[in-house]
Amino acid sequence: MFLKGKTALITGSTSGIGGGYAKALAAEGAAVMINGFGDQAEIETLRQELESLSGAKAAYSNADMTKPEEIRQMAADCAGKLGPVDILINNAGIQHVAPVDEFPEDKWNAIMDIICNSAFHTTKAVLPAMKERGWGRIINTGSMHSKVASPYKSAYNAAKHAIAGFSKTVALEVAQQGITVNTISPGYVWTPLVENQIPDTMKARNMTREQVMNDVLLAGQPTKKFVQIEQVAALALFLCKEEASAITGANLSVDGGWTAQ
Ligand code: NAD
């Protein structure tokens, strides 16, 4: 349990990849604060599971990543309930797909706020205490769309490229203070969100499950396999180790070869 005594704050961790990060860090002993929306009973079950994995406290914040004041309060609550943040993972994200000249302004702003601007506010809030203690890990969830684009995802592509650039800047600013800052960029990950799209797409396109997976969802993913949540979380865990202290300012792909093309 190499993270015993450490505190992690993970945005957007009530489901999917963020939940995977939370379980992986808790299994190594970290006290974790989760954040995001969803069914309150399910969130409480996850919080309790984290406590039994880590043997440390786990907490939940319902802070909305579009609201800077709530983000600052979340960081303060985390420090108050669990201790100063040693590991920050900026992971909250949403998607909207539309041609740029039809892209709704409210969706553009929400995607920028949740994916990109929230990471500025969380980082600003937790960095002073990391500097004081001379140790920290900041991990930002990027995407293959932090490196390459797909049409109709202008806000998402812009926000993901921005978070990768932000990561590099912070990495340089704290490079001599024991703090690393990296982006993890997954390809298509097997989350409930993806799984739920399959039946409708089968009907809409008159395809088999295999055709939907290979010819639609995984068309751009050379392995023709979804990345697993645990594979993304395993990289985050590695980045928290001392062996990874020379890895900073990197944008690391876990994308089944997507960005090799
Ligand atoms: P998900 O929908 O399962 O999880 C998103 C999380 O963000 C949830 O906990 C949700 O409650 C939270 N969230 C959404 N809006 C929020 C807000 N305003 N304030 C606070 N929390 C909010 O999705 P996921 O697939 O696990 O995605 C997690 C991250 O991984 C995102 O940044 C996404 O862009 C990125 N990503 C996902 C994939 C994929 O294929 N699933 C691929 C590359 C990158």
Side-chain angles (χ1 to χ4, degrees), residues 139-172:
I139 297 168
N140 295 314
T141 302
S143 159
M144 65 286 210
H145 292 123
S146 75
K147 297 184 174 187
V148 296
S150 293
Y152 314 123
K153 295 182 176 175
S154 55
Y156 188 84
N157 295 340
K160 290 295 186 183
H161 277 69
I163 185 113
F166 175 67
S167 295
K168 289 195 243 181
T169 311
V170 182
L172 295 178

Side-chain angles (χ1 to χ4, degrees), residues 85-229:
V85 177
D86 301 290
I87 301 162
L88 167 67
I89 305 186
N90 292 303
N91 176 75
I94 57 166
Q95 177 63 281
H96 186 78
V97 180
V100 66
D101 49 341
E102 293 169 19
F103 213 92
E105 280 179 30
D106 60 336
K107 293 285 181 198
W108 174 277
N109 290 332
I111 289 173
M112 286 300 186
D113 281 343
I114 294 168
I115 290 177
C116 181
N117 296 337
S118 73
F120 161 67
H121 295 297
T122 54
T123 301
K124 189 172 175 186
V126 307
L127 207 50
M130 285 184 182
K131 285 179 175 175
E132 260 173 39
R133 294 192 315 289
W135 196 92
R137 293 289 185 264
I138 300 178
I139 297 168
N140 295 314
T141 302
S143 159
M144 65 286 210
H145 292 123
S146 75
K147 297 184 174 187
V148 296
S150 293
Y152 314 123
K153 295 182 176 175
S154 55
Y156 188 84
N157 295 340
K160 290 295 186 183
H161 277 69
I163 185 113
F166 175 67
S167 295
K168 289 195 243 181
T169 311
V170 182
L172 295 178
E173 291 186 16
V174 297
Q176 295 177 27
Q177 296 175 73
I179 304 164
T180 69
V181 188
N182 292 289
T183 303
I184 294 181
S185 285
Y188 237 128
V189 183
W190 186 250
T191 63
L193 201 103
V194 173
E195 192 172 3
N196 293 340
Q197 294 172 27
I198 292 179
D200 284 347
T201 316
M202 282 169 68
K203 266 191 221 147
R205 297 188 181 226
N206 194 24
M207 284 178 158
T208 64
R209 185 180 168 83
E210 284 63 39
Q211 284 170 325
V212 171
M213 305 249 276
N214 292 327
D215 302 341
V216 181
L217 299 176
L218 295 175
Q221 201 143 295
T223 52
K224 302 295 178 204
K225 281 184 186 159
F226 287 97
V227 177
Q228 301 299 311
I229 289 171

